[in-house]
Amino acid sequence: MGVPSGNSTNGKKIFMQRCAQCHSYESGAKHKVGPNLSGVVGRKAGTASGYTFSDANKKKGVTWSDSTLYDYLENPKKYIPGTKMVFAGLKKSQDRADLIAYLQTI
């Protein structure tokens, strides 16, 4: 199927409503409950410096790309059983695509 085209403006709104309470996004900003997401696209899971990830996240061995993020964001606990992330996920395909489009900009 692939990842649909996303709208980064809509993705920023989704990020601010659903993600910003637990994740920072500015380059160099401190981690919150979750890791800073600046530069997340292209980064290997479990490797943000200074953040303590679950063993499950570190062992997953994925590099965050459009397709891996798309699958993860639908249901994080199903994609990485044992993750610390409590977020239930984004069920709407377009919401995930829009969020990923925004994550590519930060």
Side-chain angles (χ1 to χ4, degrees):
M1 174 187 134
V3 179
S5 294
N7 178 303
S8 63
T9 301
N10 291 342
K12 183 174 183 177
K13 291 175 190 172
I14 293 166
F15 185 90
M16 294 305 174
Q17 293 170 347
R18 308 286 302 272
C19 310
Q21 61 270 26
C22 293
H23 294 279
S24 56
Y25 59 94
E26 304 92 350
S27 180
K30 292 184 179 186
H31 300 296
K32 292 184 175 182
V33 172
N36 180 315
L37 295 179
S38 176
V40 69
V41 178
R43 184 167 67 208
K44 187 173 180 181
T47 63
S49 180
Y51 184 79
T52 305
F53 288 91
S54 66
D55 286 340
N57 197 288
K58 290 186 279 189
K59 291 177 183 176
K60 182 66 176 179
V62 301
T63 297
W64 295 122
S65 66
D66 292 355
S67 61
T68 57
L69 283 166
Y70 186 76
D71 293 342
Y72 177 72
L73 290 169
E74 183 176 16
N75 186 337
K77 289 191 179 294
K78 181 178 178 184
Y79 190 80
I80 302 179
T83 184
K84 295 190 300 187
M85 188 155 149
V86 296
F87 181 62
L90 295 170
K91 301 309 175 207
K92 293 181 181 175
S93 174
Q94 192 60 53
D95 286 351
R96 294 193 310 274
D98 291 348
L99 180 57
I100 291 164
Y102 175 66
L103 291 174
Q104 292 172 339
T105 72
I106 58 174

